[in-house]
Amino acid sequence: MNISQPLYNLILFVLLAGLLYFLFRPTKGWFWIIQNSVRTDQKTITEDILKQMYTWENQGVDIFKEDLIKSLKYSDGTQEDVLETMEKSMLITQTEEVLELTRSGRSYAIKIVRVHRLWEKYLAEKTGFEKSEWHHRAEKMEHRLSHEETNILATKLGNPMYDPHGDPIPTHEGDVLDIEGESLAELDVDTVGKIVHIEDEPDVIYQQILAENIHIGSQIRVVENSKQRVLFYSEGEEFVLAPEVAKNITIQVFETEVVFEEDAVRLSSLKKGEEAEIIGISKEFRGDGRRRLLDLGFVKGTPIKIDLVSPLSNPKAYLVKGTTIALREDQAAKILIKKR
Amino acid sequence: MVNLNCSKMKNEVENIIGLSNELRWKLGGEFHDHISESIYADASEIVEETVNTAGKKGRNAIDVKIDQIVTSRKWGFPIMFLILGVILWITIIGANYPSSLLAELLLDTIHPALKSGANSIGMPWWLSGFLIDGVYLALAWVIAVMLPPMAIFFPLFTLLEDFGYLPRVAFNLDYLFKKAGAHGKQALTMSMGFGCNAAGVVATRIIDSPRERLIAIITNNFSLCNGRWPTQILIASIFVGAIVPEALSGTAAVFAVIGIAILGMVFMFASSWLLSKTVLKGQVSTFNLELPPYRPPRFWKTLYTSLIDRTLIVLWRAIVFAAPAGAVIWLISNIMIGDHSIAYWMIDSLNGFGWLIGLNGVILVAYIVAIPANEIVIPTVLMLTVLVTGMAGGAGAGVMFELDSVNATGDILRAGGWTLLTAINLMLFSLLHNPCSTTIYTIYKETKSVKWTAVATLMPLAMGFVVTFLVAQIWYMFS
């Protein structure tokens, strides 16, 4: 090749750049795919099967071998082999084509679920990964942490009870709490409650919920519930969801004596000149950011108002306890206030 | 007996732990949050009751007035750019005078005096060459070129900081930086980088969010620093100024340099975005920005601290790195392998690659040996050009020099085979290459991580190669 031919050089460069892109682009890069498939072994497949069966058994579904094999992304032959080994090692039993978890299979599955949820909690509290990434990362990590490592992780996180989606984390003895609540899609109009769980699977629906800016821990009141849509009111804003999406949100319905904080709105809705009082910080505001906010005086009962708006309208600076503190729009959406 | 007690106790402990685990479930998930929040709320209540604040509460009326102007839609941005422009202008123009004084003293007076002194005591040529032409000259050069702009830029910048204006700049610009996954305060560290990247890296301490701080550190090098402004201005006035009518040449050169600086900001935003979406996405990210009340700057204290804390520390680090660089420059030009010096062989072997990216071997060797300070790149280039072309002029092998006349400098460079392409690519490469060793060392000190130091060093270099390669190849295609 002659280096004095610019056109060839440019073409070569573009090809090389393209190759590198396809090799290393995030998640879909060939390099990562190959790395993943190398890491996938008997153990991973076994654990994925156990988890899937555990989920279905909890829903009270009969597990047909065919359905199970179809639901997982591994090749049919491999799964057949793994299922056979699992039966031999007494993790599952098989009658006809229906599979069932044994006692030890069930407790193994619970351990995997524990690691998964603990890791999601870890990602939420101690790292900066986006919400939408937690699940995928935990899916990988659940196969890697040993029992001891899991317990150390749990201690470091202060033995949390719920993962960031509101799912209970099994204890290391294997006890699992049930989530008390009903699906949002099944609630009557005027029901008042609190969002306690947002299901992170399937991905497509979870992304829609994330895009709506719905927060776990928020109080809601159902305004309309029909076959076409579910409309509810929360934190001063109106949300409309397809029933398909609403199905994945679990609400803990309040008894009559709990007062619905009808006038609690998000700080992001405060306008210049209005005065308000802080009610609290949403559960979605996690980790260091949350502690910092408390340090700065964003606590219940503190008066707050807008001091300055930046030329590009975001961030806004708020006057809290005589100090001017700027917050971004998405942060302000996670602080609840009561307008005066 | 003792054993029995022990096991009994163990049993009891286990029982208690078991009970506590059981009870924890009854408390509900938000228990921790409630406790910590009520502690904070109680604390603020106690403060309210017991602490008396002198004077009236709330914000000072003058502060509010100033804030309304400097953060307004209409005036916010113009005021900001005006202030930054004025500071840079004062620095670049104002530094010329003390710089030439220092150069006259250190380079034109003391250097020959040292040489003749060494000769008179009968010092062998290689020792005086190594010590005086190598080590001393590099030191003197770095001090003469670096000290005046820093001694002007840092106090001015620190005065603004002390006054309280800088957080407002971060506030105004935050939205743009947020789009790139960065923190508004990066606007400040970036501006500080226009003075000195090492100081810019130290300044990232004001960013308390780990991810955004790393982004600010890694991308600080895209701010054209004081060591690179003179190179840009010199090359732009020789080559870019020459392609337009005489009357416009000054303006064209200025616009070319400003264009490079703006290109640097574009690269800063683009790579911030890229970093935050890829390698840095797992780092914790938080945001909050306090806008403190304004106060009259304490002039003398500011002057003192900015000179001691910023200027002298940075200068010291530069000197520590510049001395060995001077030695290396002298050595490679004077140690012979076969018929030629090491420098010649290096240049010869890098010429091919240099051609590929529109530069030449001399420039690449100069950038390798001048890693300690961008200030000595041009003197090294001139010395090496004279050395390899064998033309008359210069001050001898391994003795860096610079000419007072822009035209004479241009003549040497053209004789070294420079074209408009070489000039443009040098300007691009001067913007997009590894940070100087002072900055690299500072990055390591700040991050305590070899990994991030390597990323900060190699990423801009790779970008520089790609950009100059593309420009060169497209240029060759059309010429």
Side-chain angles (χ1 to χ4, degrees), chain A residues 3 6 9 126-129 133 159 161 171 194 290 292 295 299 307 311 314 321 323-324 326 328 331, chain B residues 24-25 30 37 40 44 59 172 174-175 182 208 211 281-284 287-291 355 473:
Chain A
I3 63 155
N9 289 342
K126 308 278 180 189
T127 74
F129 287 108
E133 272 194 48
N159 291 314
M161 299 160 67
T171 62
K194 188 173 81 170
R290 184 191 188 92
R292 190 88 183 93
D295 285 340
V299 292
D307 189 10
N314 181 14
K321 295 188 194 287
T323 315
T324 309
R328 287 175 175 169
Q331 294 176 302
Chain B
R24 260 166 34 81
W25 289 100
E30 288 136 57
E37 257 143 65
Y40 277 102
S44 75
R59 302 231 299 139
N172 284 349
D174 181 69
Y175 188 66
D208 55 7
R211 184 200 296 171
K281 66 180 171 184
Q283 303 283 329
V284 175
F287 176 84
N288 53 68
L289 175 64
E290 207 179 315
L291 303 175
W355 186 86
Q473 298 303 323

Side-chain angles (χ1 to χ4, degrees), chain B residues 37-105:
Chain B
E37 257 143 65
S38 56
I39 289 173
Y40 277 102
D42 283 352
S44 75
E45 227 169 82
I46 293 169
V47 168
E48 207 99 315
E49 279 168 18
T50 53
V51 179
N52 291 319
T53 36
K56 62 175 168 41
K57 267 184 138 186
R59 302 231 299 139
N60 189 325
I62 301 167
D63 278 21
V64 175
K65 262 266 141 55
I66 299 177
D67 269 340
Q68 274 165 0
I69 295 168
V70 299
T71 66
S72 67
R73 267 170 205 269
K74 203 168 169 190
W75 297 110
F77 288 115
I79 290 177
M80 222 163 53
F81 290 126
L82 188 72
I83 291 180
L84 182 64
V86 166
I87 288 186
L88 283 177
W89 185 79
I90 294 177
T91 307
I92 293 169
I93 302 299
N96 276 340
Y97 183 67
S99 261
S100 62
L101 264 186
L102 273 174
E104 202 164 296
L105 179 71

Side-chain angles (χ1 to χ4, degrees), chain A residues 184 187 189-195 215 217-223 231-239 251-266 279 336-338:
Chain A
L184 175 59
L187 295 180
V189 170
D190 271 341
T191 313
V192 170
K194 188 173 81 170
I195 300 177
H215 301 153
S218 302
Q219 296 195 2
I220 65 141
R221 186 163 57 83
V222 181
V223 178
L231 196 153
F232 66 95
Y233 179 89
S234 171
E235 298 176 346
E237 267 148 70
E238 230 180 46
F239 296 89
I251 308 293
Q252 185 186 13
V253 178
F254 286 155
E255 308 301 321
T256 38
E257 63 260 35
V258 181
V259 190
F260 178 51
E261 288 170 350
E262 189 85 52
D263 47 358
V265 296
R266 295 178 176 181
I279 292 180
L336 288 184
I337 54 163
K338 194 164 72 188

Side-chain angles (χ1 to χ4, degrees), chain B residues 104-325:
Chain B
E104 202 164 296
L105 179 71
L106 296 174
L107 304 175
D108 301 341
T109 315
I110 297 185
H111 179 242
L114 280 175
K115 280 292 267 191
S116 59
N119 283 339
S120 68
I121 59 165
M123 197 185 268
W125 72 272
W126 53 267
L127 190 58
S128 75
F130 178 82
L131 289 178
I132 300 169
D133 292 338
V135 175
Y136 169 77
L137 201 57
L139 282 183
W141 216 293
V142 166
I143 294 173
V145 187
M146 205 169 176
L147 183 59
M150 286 207 301
I152 297 172
F153 183 83
F154 288 145
L156 286 178
F157 207 78
T158 317
L159 280 176
L160 273 187
E161 198 175 21
D162 208 35
F163 175 55
Y165 175 64
L166 294 187
R168 272 73 183 177
V169 174
F171 179 63
N172 284 349
L173 286 173
D174 181 69
Y175 188 66
L176 296 178
F177 283 88
K178 177 187 183 309
K179 287 264 166 204
H183 195 294
K185 283 181 187 168
Q186 193 172 322
L188 311 183
T189 64
M190 185 190 79
S191 309
M192 186 69 117
F194 286 129
C196 170
N197 295 138
V201 169
V202 175
T204 60
R205 287 177 192 174
I206 57 172
I207 302 175
D208 55 7
S209 166
R211 184 200 296 171
E212 282 77 359
R213 177 156 183 234
L214 272 173
I215 291 176
I217 288 176
I218 294 171
T219 60
N220 196 270
N221 187 41
F222 294 121
S223 295
L224 215 49
C225 69
N226 263 327
R228 292 183 271 174
W229 286 106
T231 309
Q232 298 281 351
I233 293 169
L234 178 72
I235 301 299
S237 24
I238 295 174
F239 289 93
V240 181
I243 54 167
V244 293
E246 185 103 19
L248 294 173
S249 67
T251 327
V254 168
F255 274 106
V257 176
I258 292 176
I260 293 286
I262 290 174
L263 187 69
M265 292 189 211
V266 172
F267 269 94
M268 185 275 296
F269 276 114
S271 47
S272 295
W273 179 82
L274 203 69
L275 286 165
S276 71
K277 290 280 173 273
T278 56
V279 286
L280 290 178
K281 66 180 171 184
Q283 303 283 329
V284 175
S285 163
T286 60
F287 176 84
N288 53 68
L289 175 64
E290 207 179 315
L291 303 175
Y294 293 100
R295 63 172 185 206
R298 292 156 301 175
F299 187 79
W300 294 110
K301 188 166 183 276
T302 305
L303 202 64
Y304 175 79
T305 50
S306 69
L307 281 179
I308 300 298
D309 290 350
R310 286 182 175 155
T311 314
L312 286 186
I313 284 180
V314 172
L315 189 68
W316 172 245
R317 280 190 187 169
I319 285 173
V320 169
F321 284 108

